[in-house]
Amino acid sequence: FFLMKIFFGFRYAYNNCLAYHRGPGKYDRAEYNIPTLYSDAPPLPNWILKICKRAADLEVIPSVEFIDMAVINLYAVPGQGLAVHIDPSSLFLRPILSARFFSESVLSFNVKGQYTGHRTHNIVIPRGSLTVMEGYAANNVTHAVRHFLSFGPVSLGVELCMPLGG
């Protein structure tokens, strides 16, 4: 699978990725899932700021300035997904916004492991929509874009947030 991440404003890397590149023994297991924030990404482009303005106009966020980081997840092959995760509240302020372009997708909540043996809740995210995650859903429930529920030849998801310390 080919998933490209493009960062604006800030970028992050999880220590498990760094450990993979640096070799075993550089991080202990407890540190693997702690992301590190870097301020070397290019500034938010105008088209992303327009999304932020719309979110501020709808009073989803307090102002355009609330958002100073965008992560573009580009799925270039049909059927790609995004791994099970919770966006860490130690790194990102709430709410976290997600905009969907080019095709619809399915956001799955309460996802674990290989997605079997328990109840999940799937929400179809239409193309052109803005999804807002905060509170219990953002802080306590895993979510994923499951590869077998993705649609379209190309999908583009943009996560917008304010990193803590940003």
Side-chain angles (χ1 to χ4, degrees), residues 21-162:
H21 292 291
R22 293 182 182 166
K26 298 295 182 183
Y27 297 95
D28 64 33
R29 289 188 82 50
E31 294 178 302
Y32 272 15
N33 290 319
I34 300 171
T36 302
L37 188 65
Y38 301 94
S39 60
D40 59 355
L44 275 66
N46 286 335
W47 67 272
I48 289 179
L49 292 173
K50 287 180 183 179
I51 297 169
C52 298
K53 169 114 176 57
R54 180 71 174 136
D57 290 347
L58 293 170
E59 299 180 353
V60 172
I61 56 173
S63 68
V64 172
E65 292 76 25
F66 181 82
I67 303 294
D68 67 356
M69 176 179 173
V71 181
I72 297 175
N73 293 309
L74 177 60
Y75 308 93
V77 176
Q80 287 183 298
L82 189 60
V84 176
H85 67 286
I86 294 176
D87 296 296
S89 61
S90 62
L91 187 60
F92 305 115
L93 292 176
R94 304 308 197 228
I96 293 179
L97 309 179
S98 179
R100 172 74 37 205
F101 300 95
F102 299 121
S103 67
E104 68 181 21
S105 187
V106 176
L107 186 60
S108 298
F109 289 92
N110 196 37
V111 178
K112 297 177 182 156
Q114 293 300 312
Y115 321 120
T116 59
H118 66 282
R119 183 177 297 217
T120 61
H121 184 74
N122 300 317
I123 299 173
V124 175
I125 309 297
R127 183 181 72 152
S129 65
L130 184 66
T131 304
V132 179
M133 283 202 324
E134 60 186 338
Y136 190 83
N139 297 325
N140 301 99
V141 181
T142 60
H143 62 277
V145 176
R146 296 162 66 179
H147 68 281
F148 55 86
L149 294 176
S150 297
F151 305 107
V154 175
S155 182
L156 176 70
V158 180
E159 273 192 80
L160 305 166
C161 55
M162 165 71 86

